[in-house]
Structure formats: structure tokens, C-alpha cells
């Protein structure tokens, strides 16, 4: 595996891969890799000859008071994980190679980018779009793999690829969970044992909503109310627990194969997100 830390070397590496004979799969990450990231790499390996992973903690998607400085970083371990999981090249650029002082901005659609994760973080998805477009342009993958874990991000990236006619397939990947059902996340390292016990109410609500919908309950008001009951705990602060369609619009009834139930909640200082595609 090659570890490449400059844009120029990454472009040179990519130029050496003949697109007529090889398929390039790309997994964008912010590092602190866990089995969820590895599952994206595994999906990519199924339909590509070369896998490129990026590790870049992207400053423009963090708000001023968020955990950019404290975001978990563990490059040595990440390099070893990528090498042992069949990654062909790992791209680890510095911030000053990716950004100039004054940048073109790219905003998400108004009806998708400023609700849910974008409500308290109105610059978040502009930062995500900006960095993902740059990475796609540098790496030029055939297929780019993103987790359903970040459902809103995935839907907005699919919208970008469609609206800007990008020459890449955005490939959605299933959420990987720990044995206690908590969705894997780099931020789970912040959780104490007691926090984690509270956090488990989130997958409990997710699984309950899935099973209610599977058994025929389609009324969103009833589903959301049941979820709020499960999530009621003095140490769990819910930002949202909503059933939406996949354009992120409110619905009264679940439309099978076109709906999502999404939760965001804080346990202590740790904000967790989870969802299920219905
Ligand atoms: P991050 O490093 O958190 O920016 O995540 C990089 C990619 O991994 C994103 O596409 C995430 O949606 C995906 N991802 C994160 N956690 C999981 C998980 N538990 N299961 C599947 N994909 C995940």
C-alpha cells in the first residue's frame, strides 16, 4: 500500500492507473478508522481493482465551537488497518494543500441542507460538499462509497453527483453496529460506560420503529411518539427523532422503500446519530 500525502503525488499515482483496464473505488474518511469504515472498503473491493482511501479531518465541515481540534486522530493505527485490509493507496493530505484562503463555495439544496444535522450547523454540508468534490476531482474514482450512517450526507452527495453531472457512482453502504447494536462511530470513544448504556436507547428506538413498520404501522405520528417514549431519559438529549421521505420532506405515512427514520441525540457532550431506511 502506498501512503500519499501530497495532491501532486496522488494525481501522479492516479494517472498511472489505466481507467480502461482498472476500476477505482474510493472511500472518504476522517480517520480514527473502525469496522464501519472497513465495511465500506470491503464493499469497494467487490467491484473495483484498486481501492483508494482518504483520511482528512476536514475543517470546513466543523462549526466554530465543534470538536475539530479534539476529533480523534490515530494515523499510525489507521495506516496499519488500511494496509491489512487490501487498500491500494491511502491519501492523507494536509489542510493547506486542500484549501486556499478564499474559496469558491458550494451550498446544499435549501430543503435538504439546513434541517436535521444542518439546523444547528448551517455551514456543515457546504463543508462536506466542498471537500468531497475536491477529493473526487483529485482521485477520479469510478465508484465512491458512503455509509447510510450519515444518511443526510449521503442523500446530499447523491444530489450533488446528479445535479453537477459528476462522472462517479455514489454507492450507499449499510450501517455497521457493535454487538450491543450501537452504530459504530469514531466519536463512540468519548462515551463512558454509563454514557454508553444510555446511548443504547437510540438503537433500541431504531429497531422498534423498524419492527413496527414491518408489522404494518405506517402512521408517522404514532411511530415518532413511540420512539420519543423509548428515548425518554434524563441524560439523553434528543435533537430530532423523525420519519421523513428520502428527499428529507415531512410525511404523514411511511412510504415503503422511500422513507427514513432518523435520530440525533446527545449523551453528555457526545452527539450521536443513527437511522434506519424504511
Ligand atoms: P467519517 O470518518 O465519520 O467521516 O466516516 C467516513 C465514512 O464512513 C462515511 O461515509 C460514513 O457514513 C461511514 N461510516 C461511519 N460509520 C459507519 C458505520 N457504523 N457503518 C457504515 N458506515 C459508516
Amino acid at each position: 500500500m502506498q501512503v500519499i500525502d501530497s495532491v501532486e503525488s496522488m494525481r501522479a499515482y492516479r494517472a498511472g492507473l489505466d481507467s480502461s483496464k482498472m476500476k477505482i473505488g474510493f472511500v472518504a474518511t476522517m480517520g480514527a478508522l473502525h469496522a464501519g469504515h472497513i465495511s465500506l472498503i470491503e464493499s469497494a473491493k467487490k467491484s473495483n481493482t484498486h481501492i483508494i482511501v482518504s483520511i482528512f479531518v476536514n475543517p470546513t465541515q466543523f462549526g466554530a465551537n465543534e470538536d475539530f481540534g479534539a476529533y480523534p486522530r490515530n494515523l499510525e493505527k489507521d495506516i496499519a488497518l488500511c494496509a491489512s485490509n487490501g487498500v491500494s493507496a491511502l491519501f492523507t493530505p494536509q489542510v493547506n494543500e486542500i484549501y486556499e484562503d478564499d474559496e469558491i463555495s458550494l451550498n446544499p439544496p435549501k430543503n435538504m441542507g439546513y434541517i436535521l444535522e444542518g439546523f444547528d450547523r448551517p455551514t456543515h454540508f457546504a463543508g462536506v460538499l466542498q471537500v468531497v468534490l475536491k477529493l473526487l476531482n483529485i482521485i477520479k474514482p469510478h465508484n465512491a462509497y458512503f455509509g447510510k450512517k450519515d444518511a443526510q450526507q449521503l442523500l446530499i452527495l447523491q444530489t450533488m453527483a446528479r445535479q453537477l453531472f459528476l462522472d462517479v457512482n455514489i454507492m450507499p453502504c449499510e450501517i455497521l453496529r457493535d454487538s450491543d447494536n450501537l452504530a459504530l462511530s469514531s466519536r463512540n470513544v468519548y462515551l463512558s460506560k454509563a454514557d454508553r448504556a444510555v446511548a443504547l436507547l437510540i438503537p433500541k428506538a431504531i429497531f422498534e420503529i423498524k419492527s413496527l413498520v414491518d408489522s404494518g404501522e405506517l402512521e408517522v405520528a404514532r411511530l415518532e411518539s413511540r420512539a420519543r417514549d423509548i428515548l425518554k431519559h434524563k441524560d439523553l438529549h434528543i435533537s430530532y427523532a423523525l420519519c421523513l421521505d428520502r428527499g428529507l420532506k415531512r410525511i404523514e405515512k411511511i412510504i415503503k422503500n422511500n422513507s427514513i427514520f432518523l435520530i440525533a441525540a446527545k449523551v453528555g457532550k457526545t452527539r450521536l446519530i443513527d437511522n434506519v431506511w424504511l
Side-chain angles (χ1 to χ4, degrees), residues 28-30 34 36-37 40 71 146-147 149-150 174-176 184:
T29 83
M30 298 207 299
H34 51 66
H37 298 112
L40 267 52
Y71 193 83
F146 293 92
K149 165 83 175 8
D150 297 280
E174 294 307 318
I175 299 176
L176 204 77
L184 291 176

Side-chain angles (χ1 to χ4, degrees), residues 132 136 142-146 154 157-158 161 166 168-172:
V132 172
L136 292 174
H142 298 94
N143 302 304
Y145 295 78
F146 293 92
L154 171 59
L157 288 172
Q158 285 178 323
L166 300 186
V168 62
N169 300 312
I170 303 290
M171 311 290 280

